[in-house]
Amino acid sequence: GENVEQHPSTLSVQEGDSAVIKCTYSDSASNYFPWYKQELGKRPQLIIDIRSNVGEKKDQRIAVTLNKTAKHFSLHITETQPEDSAVYFCAARPTGKLIFGQGTTLQVKP
Amino acid sequence: SAVISQKPSRDICQRGTSLTIQCQVDSQVTMMFWYRQQPGQSLTLIATANQGSEATYESGFVIDKFPISRPNLTFSTLTVSNMSPEDSSIYLCSVEKGGNTEAFFGQGTRLTVV
């Protein structure tokens, strides 16, 4: 079955710096790759997603890139702000269900 | 979008007992899923709740321990049976409104087994 590996597990950056989180997946049938943000004690919420027919997608300070050949995708957050501090999960969908990465705890220091 | 009401939001239960978690969606959805999130960990899929048929369980999860009901397209329940402290976790329901679209999550049920 699908296996999603996410790195790093923790990431600390200064406010205004960029943050990059990387994920790899194993199942070439995966065709949908969302990123979720989970604040402490809250439910995961989608921040951006990308489908396999697209290589890059951007939404304001957030961008996701996908390399299907290498089976990896990355989340890029620019001009980080303290409110970006949270746990971020990548996921991949091979057939009908989402498989999540292990999560990255992002800390943005003011 | 989808608005999901999950309850209870938290509970403390005695070992050996069972707890049923409810998930109500504000619109009809094809796919409903149940996840477990242990403290500081990722989301692990327990099962896919299918309307009109038995749930599909992931490796490591069995129907006797986690029976699921899906009586219609807006509602599902997950029961955690014969609980032990190892079952202490957050349980989340999730829905998707169509293929390759966003998954929405309930607010979670924080279960503590003592």
Side-chain angles (χ1 to χ4, degrees), chain A residues 21-63:
Chain A
I21 303 170
K22 298 182 179 181
C23 289
T24 60
Y25 62 98
S26 60
D27 192 336
S28 57
S30 289
N31 55 12
Y32 176 67
F33 307 91
W35 286 88
Y36 283 83
K37 176 183 181 182
Q38 187 176 32
E39 297 176 345
L40 190 62
K42 297 190 176 181
R43 73 190 77 190
Q45 293 200 307
L46 182 78
I47 55 171
I48 197 167
D49 57 10
I50 191 167
R51 289 170 175 78
S52 58
N53 58 346
V54 177
E56 184 174 359
K57 183 176 178 181
K58 190 172 182 180
D59 183 3
Q60 299 183 9
R61 297 187 296 110
I62 295 173

Side-chain angles (χ1 to χ4, degrees), chain A residues 4-11 20-24 35 73-74 90 101-104:
Chain A
V4 179
E5 297 286 334
Q6 182 173 346
H7 299 281
S9 57
T10 60
L11 180 59
V20 180
I21 303 170
K22 298 182 179 181
C23 289
T24 60
W35 286 88
F73 56 112
S74 300
C90 65
Q102 297 88 340
T104 297

Side-chain angles (χ1 to χ4, degrees), chain B residues 25-75:
Chain B
V25 191
D26 67 339
S27 57
Q28 293 186 342
V29 294
T30 307
M31 310 290 278
M32 293 185 78
F33 304 88
W34 288 97
Y35 289 86
R36 181 173 71 185
Q37 187 175 30
Q38 295 179 312
Q41 302 294 314
S42 185
L43 292 87
T44 301
L45 182 64
I46 298 171
T48 302
N50 305 306
Q51 196 270 330
S53 64
E54 277 196 2
T56 304
Y57 289 83
E58 298 299 307
S59 176
F61 298 96
V62 295
I63 187 171
D64 289 347
K65 177 67 176 178
F66 298 102
I68 286 171
S69 78
R70 178 87 194 272
N72 56 53
L73 292 175
T74 64
F75 187 78

Side-chain angles (χ1 to χ4, degrees), chain B residues 42-114:
Chain B
S42 185
L43 292 87
T44 301
L45 182 64
I46 298 171
T48 302
N50 305 306
Q51 196 270 330
S53 64
E54 277 196 2
T56 304
Y57 289 83
E58 298 299 307
S59 176
F61 298 96
V62 295
I63 187 171
D64 289 347
K65 177 67 176 178
F66 298 102
I68 286 171
S69 78
R70 178 87 194 272
N72 56 53
L73 292 175
T74 64
F75 187 78
S76 179
T77 67
L78 169 76
T79 299
V80 186
S81 303
N82 188 24
M83 289 183 286
S84 67
E86 292 72 34
D87 295 319
S88 298
S89 190
I90 297 172
Y91 293 85
L92 296 128
C93 71
S94 173
V95 304
E96 295 170 14
K97 302 199 78 172
N100 267 358
T101 58
E102 176 178 358
F104 299 91
F105 288 87
Q107 67 268 42
T109 296
R110 182 179 294 272
L111 170 62
T112 302
V113 183
V114 297

